[in-house]
């Protein structure tokens, strides 16, 4: 029960840290979306309810704090979380190369959805920003993802994750 | 009951997706809706925490500027003295022009210059995700700020408020692609819509090719749409291109405000009582 009570506070703190400290580390040149990596990690290691609520809360706070339309990142994060859950049932998701490739694909998916959403729903064409804004973000998120996965694993006790699923798969292999 | 226990995960997933779809649909249909209490609290808390993080960073920057950057101070001082003399001359010229305009206005029985009640605010944060060019200011709804109010600085128009919470507000800058301001070119009185390009420039759209536009012409607000008061400086024409096809010319405008160095702004809340717009 304590997990569900702490979840909103944890998510809020995480997004605030992401938009302040993490961006300072990159001299405010690139927005680094660690929350996306956390959602993917949750998809691989957490159950539907906990992971779904975490994705929902992260998406909500990201939308509110960054001024994006409320609901856009919630939908995106929930989609990525559920897709990651399905992928984790079939793939051993602990190899660095797989993590890199998968995070890259998810970041690209997120970017594509955001661009299409703005173009078709908001009437705002942001495709020209792909090279200068989105691609650097995608590459940075991809490159830091293995380190983030390791960090999340270490904080696993706090997050109350279930690592049994992936361990069981690795034993079977 | 057994059904709910058995399909707990599926039900939870469905509920989350449905809630998020409802939220997204609602905000797409009502884009300018006032933020609810939860969003206001989140924005206030986030702004407070961001200030906590930014304070030591700014302190470090100040140390760098004050103590380590003194090497070029003498040269900078000489340049500033010359610049000051130039500005003083320009100020005298502008004052003459202003007085002349005042006299002409009286003669033509035109209304007095625009006068608004203002709220001064400091810039506390800038856009973080680079999708929109926005800034956060440290004044919100309890200071009388509402969505849609124009924001200006000493050099001209900054943008308009698009979101407010109790103590902070988000301002959409002129240079954002979704910003549209009805404008006039001061020289030729040609009208157009000023939009941002998402980086640091603006473009004046829908200016017919027959309209004479010169480099350096001031672009000011027209006051037609009612959001911005009339005759506020937006920027100056920095490039004009007349393509072979099409009805309109491309007019690039350099904003008068340096958004990267913006620190204090004024929010125009309402016209002063007893004065005409």
């Amino acid at each position: 029960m304590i997990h569900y009570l702490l979840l909103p506070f944890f998510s809020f703190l995480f997004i605030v840290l992401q938009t302040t400290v993490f961006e300072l580390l990159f001299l405010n040149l690139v927005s680094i979306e660690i929350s996306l990596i956390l959602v993917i990690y949750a998809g691989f290691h957490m159950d539907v309810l906990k992971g779904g609520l975490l994705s929902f809360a992260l998406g909500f706070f990201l939308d509110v704090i960054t001024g994006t339309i409320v609901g856009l990142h919630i939908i995106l994060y929930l989609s990525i979380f559920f897709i990651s859950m399905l992928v984790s049932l079939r793939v051993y998701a602990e190899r660095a190369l797989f993590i890199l490739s998968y995070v890259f694909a998810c970041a690209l998916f997120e970017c594509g959805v955001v661009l299409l959403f703005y173009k078709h729903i908001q009437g705002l064409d942001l495709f020209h920003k792909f090279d200068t804004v989105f691609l650097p973000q995608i590459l940075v998120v991809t490159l830091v993802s293995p380190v983030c996965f390791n960090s999340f694993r270490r904080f696993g006790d706090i997050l109350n994750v279930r690592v049994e699923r992936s361990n069981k798969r690795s034993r079977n292999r | 009951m057994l059904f709910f226990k058995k399909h707990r995960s599926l039900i939870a997933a469905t509920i989350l997706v449905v809630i998020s779809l409802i939220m997204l649909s609602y905000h797409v249909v009502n884009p300018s809706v006032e933020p609810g209490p939860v969003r206001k609290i989140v924005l206030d808390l986030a702004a407070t925490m961001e200030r906590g993080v930014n304070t030591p960073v700014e302190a470090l920057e100040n140390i760098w500027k004050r103590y380590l950057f003194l090497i070029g101070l003498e040269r900078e001082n000489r340049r500033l003295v010359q610049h000051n003399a130039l500005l003083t001359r320009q100020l005298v010229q502008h004052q003459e022009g202003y007085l002349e305009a005042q006299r002409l206005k009286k003669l033509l029985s035109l209304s007095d210059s625009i006068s608004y009640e203002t709220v001064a605010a400091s810039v506390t944060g800038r856009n973080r995700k680079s999708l929109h060019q926005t800034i956060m200011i440290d004044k919100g709804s309890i200071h009388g700020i509402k969505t849609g109010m124009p924001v200006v600085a000493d050099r001209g128009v900054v943008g308009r408020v698009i979101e407010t919470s109790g103590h902070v507000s988000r301002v959409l800058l002129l240079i954002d692609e979704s910003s549209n301001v009805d404008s006039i070119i001061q020289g030729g009185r040609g009208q157009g819509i000023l939009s941002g390009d998402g980086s640091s420039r603006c473009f004046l759209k829908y200016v017919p090719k027959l309209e004479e536009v010169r480099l350096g012409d001031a672009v000011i607000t027209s006051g037609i749409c009612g959001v911005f008061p009339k005759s506020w400086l937006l920027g100056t024409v920095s490039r004009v291109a007349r393509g072979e096809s099409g009805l309109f010319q491309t007019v690039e405008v350099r904003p008068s405000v340096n958004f990267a160095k913006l620190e204090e702004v004024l929010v125009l809340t309402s016209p002063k009582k007893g004065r005409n717009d």
Side-chain angles (χ1 to χ4, degrees):
Chain A
M1 192 63 195
I2 192 78
H3 178 94
Y4 298 105
L5 291 172
L6 287 174
L7 201 79
F9 296 105
F10 170 77
S11 308
F12 173 72
L13 280 175
F14 193 88
I15 296 296
V16 170
L17 278 176
Q18 176 177 295
T19 53
T20 52
V21 179
F22 294 158
E23 288 198 8
L24 273 178
L25 293 176
F26 285 83
L27 303 172
N28 287 322
L29 294 174
V30 179
S31 294
I32 175 163
E33 208 176 326
I34 306 282
S35 50
L36 175 70
I37 306 172
L38 182 57
V39 167
I40 294 169
Y41 182 83
F44 288 155
H45 297 282
M46 293 172 87
D47 63 42
V48 175
L49 198 57
K50 284 177 184 169
L53 281 172
L54 178 71
S55 307
F56 187 94
L58 286 170
F60 174 74
F61 288 123
L62 189 65
D63 281 336
V64 172
I65 290 173
T66 59
T68 323
I69 290 173
V70 177
L72 179 60
H73 278 98
I74 304 177
I75 282 282
L76 273 167
Y77 280 6
L78 281 174
S79 314
I80 291 170
F81 169 73
F82 291 128
I83 293 167
S84 304
M85 275 204 83
L86 293 174
V87 170
S88 74
L89 297 173
R90 297 186 175 275
V91 182
Y92 175 62
E94 303 299 324
R95 290 199 189 104
L97 189 63
F98 174 79
I99 293 169
L100 279 168
S101 324
Y102 188 74
V103 170
F104 178 76
C106 286
L108 205 61
F109 166 73
E110 188 198 8
C111 163
V113 172
V114 168
L115 289 174
L116 287 171
F117 177 85
Y118 271 94
K119 187 171 168 64
H120 294 293
I121 309 290
Q122 301 287 92
L124 199 63
D125 192 350
L126 298 171
F127 276 89
H128 63 276
K129 283 188 174 180
F130 182 79
D131 300 348
T132 53
V133 175
F134 291 98
L135 193 60
Q137 286 178 14
I138 291 169
L139 291 176
V140 170
V141 165
T142 305
L143 289 173
V144 300
S145 58
V147 179
C148 292
F149 259 66
N150 273 334
S151 308
F152 295 150
R153 207 171 289 133
R154 290 188 183 185
F155 286 103
D157 291 337
I158 300 167
L159 295 170
N160 195 20
V161 298
R162 288 183 180 174
V163 291
E164 290 87 355
R165 204 183 339 153
S166 58
N167 287 343
K168 196 175 171 184
R169 264 198 308 276
S170 61
R171 277 201 301 275
N172 290 341
R173 281 169 184 259
Chain B
M1 203 63 189
L2 191 68
F3 174 81
F4 285 110
K5 276 189 176 175
K6 196 177 173 185
H7 297 96
R8 201 177 73 137
S9 299
L10 190 67
I11 292 166
T14 312
I15 290 170
L16 286 173
V17 170
V18 169
I19 291 172
S20 55
L21 279 172
I22 291 170
M23 286 171 85
L24 184 63
S25 313
Y26 178 74
H27 285 96
V28 166
V29 175
N30 308 293
S32 55
V33 68
E34 284 288 326
V38 177
R39 276 174 71 190
K40 284 185 176 179
I41 292 168
V42 169
L43 266 177
D44 275 342
L45 279 173
T48 311
M49 289 180 73
E50 190 179 331
R51 224 171 287 148
V53 174
N54 284 340
T55 305
V57 176
E58 280 170 11
L60 277 172
E61 273 180 3
N62 282 338
I63 289 170
W64 171 259
K65 281 176 188 166
R66 284 180 188 167
Y67 298 104
L68 302 174
F69 228 65
L70 288 172
I71 303 156
L73 197 64
E74 201 263 329
R75 194 173 52 207
E76 179 72 5
N77 191 33
R78 267 206 309 273
R79 195 186 66 77
L80 285 174
V81 167
Q82 285 172 357
H83 194 59
N84 190 31
L86 179 73
L87 288 176
T88 310
R89 279 200 302 276
Q90 284 180 347
L91 184 65
V92 171
Q93 285 171 353
H94 288 151
Q95 277 173 339
E96 276 298 304
Y98 177 73
L99 291 171
E100 189 184 352
Q102 289 293 312
R103 289 196 300 273
L104 287 170
K105 265 190 174 180
K106 276 181 188 168
L107 281 173
L108 294 167
S109 305
L110 289 174
S111 59
D112 201 359
S113 60
I114 295 162
S115 190
Y116 267 68
E117 298 284 356
T118 59
V119 174
S122 295
V123 177
T124 56
R126 293 173 200 283
N127 61 313
R128 301 181 188 90
K129 281 213 80 190
S130 305
L131 284 180
H132 289 295
Q133 297 284 348
T134 57
I135 53 168
M136 297 292 288
I137 56 173
D138 66 345
K139 295 285 159 61
S141 54
I142 64 161
H143 304 98
I145 294 176
K146 290 177 188 162
T147 307
M149 285 180 171
V151 181
V152 298
D154 54 345
R155 285 171 171 248
V157 176
V158 172
R160 63 185 165 86
V161 177
I162 54 166
E163 199 173 16
T164 60
S165 71
H167 297 87
V168 289
S169 302
R170 194 186 306 277
V171 179
L172 185 76
L173 301 179
L174 279 185
I175 48 175
D176 187 76
E177 282 163 309
S178 57
S179 162
N180 290 302
V181 182
D182 210 330
S183 328
I184 299 176
I185 300 163
Q186 205 174 29
R189 311 307 289 174
Q191 290 199 356
I193 304 286
L194 190 79
S195 290
D197 75 337
S199 58
S200 60
R201 295 168 306 173
C202 295
F203 284 93
L204 196 58
K205 297 193 282 194
Y206 314 121
V207 180
K209 278 184 178 170
L210 294 172
E211 204 72 57
E212 191 192 348
V213 183
R214 287 167 300 185
L215 288 179
D217 271 356
V219 179
I220 57 172
T221 52
S222 70
I224 289 173
C225 58
V227 176
F228 294 95
K230 197 178 173 183
S231 302
W232 275 82
L233 183 63
L234 293 161
T236 50
V237 175
S238 57
R239 191 170 67 87
V240 183
R242 289 184 176 87
E244 285 183 4
S245 60
L247 293 169
F248 306 111
Q249 52 188 314
T250 307
V251 182
E252 188 183 306
V253 176
R254 188 190 302 123
S256 56
V257 176
N258 185 349
F259 295 103
K261 291 182 179 173
L262 201 59
E263 289 180 25
E264 277 94 27
V265 294
L266 284 176
V267 184
L268 307 184
T269 52
S270 60
K272 275 184 183 165
K273 281 175 188 169
R275 300 189 79 160
N276 297 327
D277 245 354

